[in-house]
Amino acid sequence: MEKPVIVTVDDDPGVSRAVARDLRRRYGQQYRIVRAETAADGIGAVKEMRLRGDDVAAILADYRMPQMNGVQFLEAAMDLYPYARRVLLTAYADTDAAIQAINVVDLDHYLLKPWDPPEEKFYPVIDNQLDAWMRTDRVERTELRVVGDRWSAQSYRVRDFLSRNHVPYQWMLAEDPEGAQLVKAAGEGCHLPLVVTPDGVTLESPDQATLATAVGLSTTPATDFYDLIVVGGGPAGLGAAVYGASEGLKTVLVEAYSSGGQAGQSSRIENYLGFPDGVSGQQLADRARRQALKFGAELLTARKVVSLEPRGQARVVGFKDGGEIAAHAVILATGVTYRRLQAPGLDDFVGRGVFYGAAMTEAPSCEDSEVYIVGAANSAGQAAVHLSQYASKVHLLVRGEGLEKSMSHYLIEQLTALPNVEVHAQTQVVAGSGDDHLQELTLATKGEERTVPAQWLFVFIGAEPYTSWLGDTVERDRRGFILTGPDLVQRGQRPRNWPLRREPYYLETNVPGVLAAGDVRAESIKRVASAVGEGAMAVSLVHRYLEKQ
């Protein structure tokens, strides 16, 4: 087989030769080094390699090039080699541009020039990038095709599931020429949405589990006993999976829908440590998911947990579709869901104009339309900023007198600066109506009602924990949030089964070996960073628990 390629592009001949020299010295036996001194030559070389079927492991591009800068070059090359590791060569003065590139092209690293000695400043970086590339599943798959109706709730659910699980697909309407051909080929009585896999298998209105299996997501546990089961794939669950697996625990994470939780639906999280220019919820979730897999965690998708039972020293988790797995310890990180808006008519249009959460798959379809958002917290503000890029007007409906008490200051400033975003204080949705999709909303501002044409309503109100499946096994407060640590004692719900010699530690529930982390825990701080921290802390308490068994 041909050697994989490392591409380097720099318009300074001296620097270009130096980069290629250092690369050949260290990697020349395992990789072919290709260098170019202009962006045009570099793109031409990359296109040639793509046509020949060469495998590109890494691309190093200088930031300051006259034809196109390094960020633009990497963005163009990314379309041809999405799995290649991307490194930007930059001077100290251009560090800000390099940081911005992290989100623009999902930059893997930026390297400051000069890098002498390479043994300390150059080779360790490239070693890490090539190691990451080697571990990446680079089997390219032709995109799925999804055919459906524009205002079909089931079509929306299929597309949303695929998007949030990072599965590429092509969406087409049933009345489009290609869509009509696929429906005809599927046979009479085809039930939409129709999903056509790359190898030609057709799925008609598939349920979530069938769809997950068809696109290659893991749904079946590799064994029946683990050290640690993590229930829920939001920030807390992913944090627990990363730390559990990296510290040697045989870890499985079970997620009913997709990794990322509510945070995974955020268009841009700008106050998370280490991302000064923000990061999308999907990007953050995908990186955490890949990190968990890197350390050996097992991730199950589309498996809903419906029971938890202590059996001696084992903690047994049961699935809705049958079967069970057991472990020494369980971390509950099921997060919360947005509450339904209690207004007549709206339930009829869920997935057909009414969406709970950001529904990022719908954003491009909102182009040149007026969009209504209900909510006053950060998630609503982030959605308003994102949707303002597509919609002609974004109406943010706030029940209170303003945003100051519930939304971060930086988001309020952003919204104020957007000319097509309008905040409506003391305003509520009191009804919705339409035929096959949402067409009108009735709004009430200070008691005065008015009806407005509306096809798009995104709702971000309150939080409800999914904990009813725990029954009487795990203590919860009146709202369903899980009680842990001192809260168990303070609320007069002293743990049954705990040794009398001590009270439960922070994050520990009334059941020994069962912990709770993130938004599902009573009195938790509803922030991405705190959820990740609690996931990590829960793993340390699992170790403490296991040591005493």
Side-chain angles (χ1 to χ4, degrees), residues 74 86-88 98-99 101-110 287:
L74 291 173
R86 294 173 285 278
V87 178
L88 189 68
I99 293 173
I102 291 173
N103 294 316
V104 174
V105 295
D106 201 13
L107 186 70
D108 295 302
H109 200 91
Y110 66 88
R287 292 183 181 190

Side-chain angles (χ1 to χ4, degrees), residues 307-310 315-316 332 467-476 496-497 509-512 514:
S307 65
L308 171 64
E309 180 185 352
R315 303 293 175 259
V316 181
L332 303 173
T467 56
S468 57
W469 60 277
L470 292 168
D472 296 330
T473 304
V474 177
E475 299 283 2
R476 290 162 287 149
R496 308 181 300 266
N497 308 326
T509 70
N510 61 294
V511 181
V514 176

Side-chain angles (χ1 to χ4, degrees), residues 15-169:
V15 175
S16 178
R17 286 192 294 269
V19 175
R21 178 200 65 217
D22 287 344
L23 289 172
R24 289 193 183 98
R25 184 179 299 165
R26 175 87 165 208
Y27 309 105
Q29 290 188 345
Q30 295 84 26
Y31 297 86
R32 182 160 59 94
I33 312 302
V34 174
R35 78 178 181 93
E37 293 185 2
T38 69
D41 288 346
I43 288 294
V46 170
K47 287 181 177 178
E48 271 188 33
M49 286 183 274
R50 187 68 175 122
L51 292 174
R52 288 198 304 265
D54 293 337
D55 211 355
V56 174
I59 303 174
L60 289 70
D62 181 54
Y63 175 67
R64 293 199 177 190
M65 292 190 292
Q67 295 169 317
M68 64 170 67
N69 66 38
V71 175
Q72 294 167 330
F73 179 89
L74 291 173
E75 192 170 13
M78 190 167 67
D79 294 333
L80 300 168
Y81 284 100
Y83 299 107
R85 306 298 289 184
R86 294 173 285 278
V87 178
L88 189 68
L89 304 177
T90 181
Y92 183 82
D94 298 320
T95 302
D96 287 343
I99 293 173
Q100 292 176 9
I102 291 173
N103 294 316
V104 174
V105 295
D106 201 13
L107 186 70
D108 295 302
H109 200 91
Y110 66 88
L111 193 62
L112 293 176
K113 300 186 291 187
W115 52 79
D116 288 325
E119 289 77 13
E120 295 180 12
K121 299 183 179 180
F122 186 67
Y123 293 144
V125 171
I126 305 303
D127 285 347
N128 288 337
Q129 298 308 315
L130 295 177
D131 181 59
W133 178 78
M134 289 293 292
R135 290 196 308 268
T136 302
D137 177 12
R138 301 187 303 280
V139 178
E140 295 192 9
R141 302 175 177 89
T142 306
E143 284 189 343
L144 288 167
R145 287 169 289 176
V146 180
V147 186
D149 295 323
R150 177 69 197 86
W151 296 110
S152 161
Q154 178 62 8
S155 293
Y156 161 70
R157 284 192 288 269
V158 166
R159 291 185 293 126
D160 188 58
F161 179 82
L162 293 173
S163 295
R164 290 175 59 181
N165 282 285
H166 313 283
V167 178
Y169 67 93

Side-chain angles (χ1 to χ4, degrees), residues 475-549:
E475 299 283 2
R476 290 162 287 149
D477 67 14
R478 58 182 179 80
R479 295 181 300 163
F481 290 93
I482 297 173
L483 295 170
T484 60
D487 287 334
L488 284 164
V489 180
Q490 290 174 5
R491 293 170 182 259
Q493 298 180 5
R494 183 172 294 277
R496 308 181 300 266
N497 308 326
W498 271 105
L500 295 177
R501 65 180 181 276
R502 71 170 181 86
E503 303 296 353
Y505 290 109
Y506 179 64
L507 304 185
E508 291 179 326
T509 70
N510 61 294
V511 181
V514 176
L515 302 96
D519 290 358
V520 74
R521 190 179 65 81
E523 307 302 330
S524 65
I525 299 172
K526 305 300 188 278
R527 286 288 186 270
V528 176
S530 61
V532 173
E534 288 193 4
M537 185 182 296
V539 171
S540 69
L541 294 177
V542 167
H543 282 296
R544 182 178 297 179
Y545 170 76
L546 294 177
E547 288 170 359
K548 295 181 179 180
Q549 298 308 299

Side-chain angles (χ1 to χ4, degrees), residues 368-451:
D368 299 327
S369 301
E370 295 201 17
V371 169
Y372 289 81
I373 298 174
V374 179
N378 281 7
S379 54
Q382 290 159 354
V385 171
H386 181 67
L387 290 169
S388 70
Q389 302 172 46
Y390 302 91
S392 59
K393 183 86 175 209
V394 176
H395 301 272
L396 185 57
L397 312 180
V398 180
R399 184 173 59 180
E401 296 182 357
L403 301 171
E404 288 73 14
K405 293 182 179 180
S406 54
M407 188 177 292
S408 294
H409 179 68
Y410 78 91
L411 267 177
I412 296 175
E413 287 188 325
Q414 286 185 22
L415 293 174
T416 303
L418 293 171
N420 63 334
V421 174
E422 183 177 355
V423 178
H424 302 266
Q426 296 181 292
T427 300
Q428 300 182 60
V429 176
V430 295
S433 61
D435 295 325
D436 63 335
H437 65 281
L438 179 69
Q439 292 174 303
E440 290 184 339
L441 288 174
T442 302
L443 309 179
T445 302
K446 299 180 181 179
E448 294 186 11
E449 294 188 1
R450 68 185 189 280
T451 299

Side-chain angles (χ1 to χ4, degrees), residues 183-329:
V183 172
K184 184 177 180 180
E188 291 186 11
C190 174
H191 296 287
L192 299 179
L194 173 68
V195 178
V196 184
T197 68
D199 53 4
V201 175
T202 58
L203 306 172
E204 298 182 21
S205 192
D207 60 34
Q208 191 170 291
T210 302
L211 185 59
T213 301
V215 300
L217 297 175
S218 179
T219 60
T220 305
T223 184
D224 56 4
F225 198 90
Y226 297 83
D227 293 321
L228 173 63
I229 298 172
V230 181
V231 184
L238 287 168
V242 167
Y243 281 92
S246 67
E247 294 175 12
L249 297 178
K250 188 175 183 182
T251 302
V252 60
L253 183 150
V254 184
E255 168 55 44
Y257 194 72
S258 66
S259 57
Q262 277 194 345
Q265 301 179 59
S266 297
S267 56
R268 181 68 59 183
I269 302 169
E270 298 197 56
N271 58 352
Y272 188 71
L273 186 67
F275 292 89
D277 293 287
V279 61
S280 75
Q282 282 197 348
Q283 283 179 317
L284 192 63
D286 184 52
R287 292 183 181 190
R289 180 187 62 82
R290 288 190 279 122
Q291 195 173 13
L293 291 171
K294 163 190 166 183
F295 287 120
E298 187 180 335
L299 270 60
L300 303 182
T301 305
R303 297 300 298 272
K304 191 171 186 178
V305 174
V306 294
S307 65
L308 171 64
E309 180 185 352
R311 295 182 193 167
Q313 296 300 313
R315 303 293 175 259
V316 181
V317 164
F319 298 119
K320 181 179 180 180
D321 54 358
E324 60 185 30
I325 54 177
H328 294 298

